Amino acid sequence: QVQLVESGGGLVQAGDSLTLSCQYSGPTFSRSPMAWFRQGPGKERRFVASISGNGDSTYETDSVKGRFTISRDNAKNSVHLHMNSLKSEDTAVYYCAARIGTYRAEYGTARFWPYQGQGTQVTVSS
């Protein structure tokens, strides 16, 4: 059974940086592609970024490319989302997600990521 616990959210100002972390518990972490989703107020949960099990491949949605970077530390069973130049529209609850098996950049909807955490709130004030 996979368990995911996010941390690092908070209240920041526009233009600030923030790093979210996700601690993974379960079967071999290095075989688990990881992702981040977010859900803004009154909006659907949407894909943000993903990373392959060995960390060699990453993918970010267009709205965060150049500002957000996903990384992982397989020695610590953790994945991180480094967020720079934050905007008010980045305000959302951010969820860590995992799957076991293959990784494809096209896996951009929640149905490909059966394991998700409880989320951490990020609020960006303008």
Side-chain angles (χ1 to χ4, degrees):
Q1 184 70 13
V2 173
Q3 292 188 326
L4 304 169
V5 178
E6 303 94 337
S7 63
L11 173 63
V12 297
Q13 293 188 335
D16 284 352
S17 298
L18 195 64
T19 294
L20 305 182
S21 297
C22 173
Q23 190 64 42
Y24 173 106
S25 298
T28 309
F29 181 60
S30 62
R31 294 198 203 130
S32 295
M34 301 293 293
W36 287 94
F37 285 76
R38 67 184 180 184
Q39 187 166 11
K43 298 181 180 179
E44 295 180 350
R45 191 171 300 190
R46 296 205 170 178
F47 171 86
V48 177
S50 63
I51 187 167
S52 61
N54 62 10
D56 286 353
S57 298
T58 63
Y59 180 76
E60 297 85 22
T61 194
D62 286 347
S63 62
V64 306
K65 276 183 181 175
R67 300 190 300 123
F68 291 12
T69 303
I70 188 170
S71 67
R72 66 189 295 154
D73 185 342
N74 282 0
K76 297 183 178 179
N77 284 14
S78 61
V79 63
H80 308 281
L81 185 67
H82 310 277
M83 306 184 292
N84 298 316
S85 303
L86 282 161
K87 305 175 182 180
S88 57
E89 50 263 45
D90 295 319
T91 294
V93 178
Y94 284 73
Y95 298 89
C96 178
R99 58 180 282 111
I100 304 218
T102 59
Y103 170 76
R104 299 201 195 292
E106 303 90 84
Y107 289 168
T109 57
R111 68 185 181 96
F112 292 109
W113 304 90
Y115 304 105
Q116 301 212 3
Q118 294 300 305
T120 186
Q121 175 72 47
V122 173
T123 303
V124 184
S125 64
S126 56

